[in-house]
Amino acid sequence: MPESAPLATPHGASEPHPLGALMGLAVFGEKVAARTYVAMAALRPEFDVLLRKFSAMEARHGASFAQASRANDVEPDRAFADGELGYLLAQVEEYAAAGDFDALAVLQGFIVESLAIATYEPFLAIADRYRGAKEAFAVALADERYHVDWITRYLRLRYFDAVPELLALAERVNARGVDCVGGTMMNIAHHLDAVGLSGADCAAGMMDGYTELLEGVGLDQRAALRNVAGIFSPLMAKYRRGERTK
């Protein structure tokens, strides 16, 4: 394949163009992430400077993805992204209004970042096909891991001797967050396949990453695996039946 493969959305297409849909999620998903960190900063002034720095990093990711899209004649699909991200944004606003900092931390650090890492990392293997994509995704991936590292450390200290409370928090947030963001992973699997990635491998990567995060905040492996199996199995069952998850 040539260095750049223009993939403009066909006129009259009933399905979103694969790369347009994926870049739409990347561009507008980063804007939601930036908004989430601003909401977190407002709730915990002691973390204001750091979390606003995270927000600015997420905004730069979105801008770099938009620039890479333009370089390849791809229009990020805003309508597709809105359909997938609306559920997530509603949760962010609800937790922010309730002053629930820890729920925002779990939603952003565990669920949203797990989705980003699970797709950005394998995309680097094919990023040379698209002008400007490799640098944009490499920077974003490194930054997302940096953010996850901080949130993992925060939650580990916050719930150092309160693992049952952490599990209760994670399960409360997961009940909706994973069905939303994990569901998006299932819904975009065929788009990932179309651009040269494995949708199944990306979904498995998200599950593995989520398990590692739970272990990182103090759960033993068995408890982490049991938690992940309980929240992802219903999604996998829907995916095998060919159902959308919303």
Side-chain angles (χ1 to χ4, degrees):
M1 186 175 285
E3 178 185 354
S4 176
L7 292 172
T9 304
H11 291 294
S14 58
E15 282 289 319
H17 188 281
L19 194 59
L22 296 175
M23 293 305 287
L25 283 176
V27 170
F28 299 109
E30 295 290 349
K31 291 184 178 182
V32 174
R35 185 169 178 172
T36 303
Y37 282 123
V38 168
M40 292 172 68
L43 294 175
R44 297 291 293 272
E46 67 270 34
F47 300 135
D48 180 81
V49 173
L50 179 64
L51 292 175
R52 288 185 181 277
K53 173 184 174 183
F54 287 1
S55 177
M57 293 165 78
E58 302 286 10
R60 286 196 294 272
H61 301 162
S64 67
F65 291 150
Q67 183 177 7
S69 297
R70 289 192 296 270
N72 292 279
D73 298 322
V74 171
E75 181 67 27
D77 194 322
R78 176 65 182 265
F80 178 80
D82 285 348
E84 294 294 334
L85 297 172
Y87 296 82
L88 173 64
L89 186 56
Q91 291 172 63
V92 171
E93 292 177 345
E94 178 182 323
Y95 294 141
D100 198 338
F101 180 91
D102 288 356
L104 288 170
V106 170
L107 181 66
Q108 178 63 28
F110 279 23
I111 302 171
V112 177
E113 302 286 21
S114 288
L115 173 66
I117 291 169
T119 51
Y120 295 176
E121 185 172 38
F123 191 85
L124 285 176
I126 64 166
D128 285 333
R129 302 177 186 180
Y130 308 107
R131 282 189 292 263
K134 188 166 188 176
E135 181 179 0
F137 278 90
V139 169
L141 178 62
D143 288 348
E144 307 301 14
R145 287 175 170 157
Y146 173 56
H147 300 164
V148 166
D149 185 54
W150 183 84
I151 289 177
T152 301
R153 290 168 185 260
Y154 164 78
L155 290 170
R156 187 175 182 86
L157 290 172
R158 171 76 172 79
Y159 293 94
F160 182 76
D161 58 351
V163 170
E165 287 84 349
L166 173 62
L167 273 177
L169 168 68
E171 289 172 0
R172 173 168 61 87
V173 176
N174 289 340
R176 296 167 59 197
V178 171
D179 192 51
C180 169
V181 179
T184 290
M185 174 65 79
M186 301 305 170
N187 292 339
I188 66 173
H190 61 294
H191 294 319
L192 294 166
D193 291 335
V195 301
L197 301 178
S198 166
D201 286 350
C202 289
M206 182 178 176
M207 293 171 65
D208 289 345
Y210 194 93
T211 303
E212 291 175 5
L213 289 172
L214 288 174
E215 293 181 53
V217 297
L219 272 69
D220 63 51
Q221 186 178 63
R222 180 177 297 180
L225 288 171
R226 185 168 57 248
N227 183 272
V228 169
I231 59 180
F232 280 94
S233 291
L235 291 173
M236 296 301 291
K238 290 181 181 180
Y239 178 61
R240 285 194 295 269
R241 293 194 299 267
E243 299 175 7
R244 285 182 63 85
T245 60
K246 299 293 188 288

